[in-house]
Amino acid sequence: MTSDAPKAPASRKPRLALMGEFSAGKSTLANLLLGQQSSPVQVTATQLPPVWYRLGAPSAQRLSKAGTAEPLALDDWSGCRPDDTQMISVSLDADFLHACDLIDMPGTSDPNMVPDFWEAFLPQVDLVIWCTPANQAWRQSEAALWEQVPPLLWTKSLLLVTRMDKMQTERDRARVLARVRGEAGALFREVLPIALPAALAGREDDAVLEATGAAALVRFLCDALDGLKAPGTPDFPAEPAPRQAPSMTPQPQARAQAAPPIQPARAQPGKVIPRRIARPKTRTPRPDMRSA
């Protein structure tokens, strides 16, 4: 006898979205988390839709707004046109993706032009890292955009202050962090500083990870992902977002250099940087900044 009762949706891994305005360091952060040295080739002015990274054999495809899919080269997305592309779906055999899916959202700067894809993607996101550059940290346009994010995400998400290596002195760094925490601290679970280019260049070195703020980021992600129960919602729907996505300029890779020390904010004692992601039987895998 056939039952008409609906089937419970399959569980899935948490989904982490990288968000922020143009050139805030999201692409460099994605490279750091995924163990990549650089982003795919693309023209600087090229507009990109969201890029969704999942665990799997290395491959990429463009999902059109008409619902069709076509393969892409893993190292060149310059041919993607945002006017007819819903998102770029990428599979990678990256340690970090054992713990969660990663969605690199397009950069934006106009709170009056929030794209429709926010409405399509954000209800499926479990955690956000919002990147804000230290030399222009937490502008009014960013605050206005974040206010349009579901408040449920505020208590889970991280405000990551990038470009801390551009601050000349420890006093400047402390002043920026104090201001940002005062203005935005209540809107996020945590506010942390990071020097992304140096962290990417030195991700094999524990001392560099501590000095650049990457270790504190790992500790945050360990706790945040452990606290997320596997949701039961289905995967991304076939229906595309109807409007064009704004452009996103990836953060250029800086030459490897020693970064000014950054004191990790409210680092939790007793936590250590995990060597790599494993597949434990009873716990959510923990992220790692280094390639296997």
Side-chain angles (χ1 to χ4, degrees):
M1 182 175 180
T2 303
S3 173
D4 294 330
K7 295 182 180 180
S11 62
R12 60 167 173 80
K13 286 183 288 189
R15 291 164 178 167
L16 168 63
L18 307 182
M19 300 177 66
E21 295 191 339
F22 295 116
S23 300
K26 292 188 283 54
S27 293
T28 305
L29 176 58
N31 292 334
L32 177 64
L33 295 174
L34 297 172
Q36 300 183 128
Q37 288 297 334
S38 61
S39 299
V41 175
Q42 53 201 272
V43 179
T44 300
T46 298
Q47 297 176 330
L48 282 179
V51 181
W52 192 314
Y53 296 93
R54 296 179 174 89
L55 181 66
S59 65
Q61 61 180 350
R62 182 186 74 88
L63 304 183
S64 74
K65 292 184 177 180
T68 60
E70 61 182 50
L72 285 177
L74 273 171
D75 59 353
D76 189 351
W77 301 340
S78 57
C80 285
R81 302 201 323 265
D83 56 336
D84 65 355
T85 302
Q86 178 185 8
M87 70 174 180
I88 297 173
S89 178
V90 182
S91 295
L92 292 176
D93 186 14
D95 285 348
F96 185 80
L97 297 177
H98 286 283
C100 64
D101 287 359
L102 183 67
I103 307 171
D104 189 355
M105 299 286 280
T108 186
S109 59
D110 188 346
N112 297 315
M113 296 181 65
V114 176
D116 288 345
F117 63 70
W118 275 35
E119 296 180 4
F121 277 82
L122 284 181
Q124 304 171 79
V125 168
D126 304 301
L127 173 68
V128 172
I129 297 180
W130 185 281
C131 295
T132 185
N135 53 340
Q136 305 180 67
W138 200 241
R139 301 192 301 175
Q140 289 184 352
S141 55
E142 294 180 270
L145 285 166
W146 185 248
E147 287 176 359
Q148 300 182 52
V149 171
L152 181 62
L153 285 174
W154 297 358
T155 59
K156 305 176 184 178
S157 298
L158 171 68
L159 179 58
L160 191 66
V161 185
T162 63
R163 296 188 187 173
M164 290 300 289
D165 50 317
K166 302 299 183 183
M167 299 289 98
Q168 297 300 313
T169 66
E170 182 60 36
R171 181 180 178 183
D172 290 339
R173 291 189 283 272
R175 186 165 47 216
V176 167
L177 281 177
R179 178 181 65 80
V180 173
R181 286 188 175 127
E183 294 177 2
L187 303 176
F188 291 86
R189 173 173 171 172
E190 181 63 282
V191 178
L192 293 176
I194 197 167
L196 282 170
L200 182 63
R203 65 173 179 259
E204 301 290 342
D205 189 324
D206 288 352
V208 171
L209 295 179
E210 284 288 352
T212 58
L217 171 61
V218 170
R219 289 188 285 265
F220 171 87
L221 288 172
C222 287
D223 287 344
L225 292 173
D226 278 348
L228 292 175
K229 294 182 180 180
T233 53
D235 211 341
F236 191 81
E239 275 196 48
R243 290 196 346 197
Q244 176 174 331
S247 64
M248 176 182 69
T249 304
Q251 178 80 7
Q253 297 297 323
R255 293 181 180 177
Q257 58 183 358
I262 295 175
Q263 296 299 324
R266 290 180 276 180
Q268 300 180 15
K271 295 259 182 175
V272 296
I273 302 170
R275 287 288 172 185
R276 57 177 289 124
I277 286 184
R279 296 196 191 190
K281 296 180 180 179
T282 58
R283 292 178 61 83
T284 300
R286 290 177 175 266
D288 187 4
M289 291 299 182
R290 290 159 295 185
S291 56

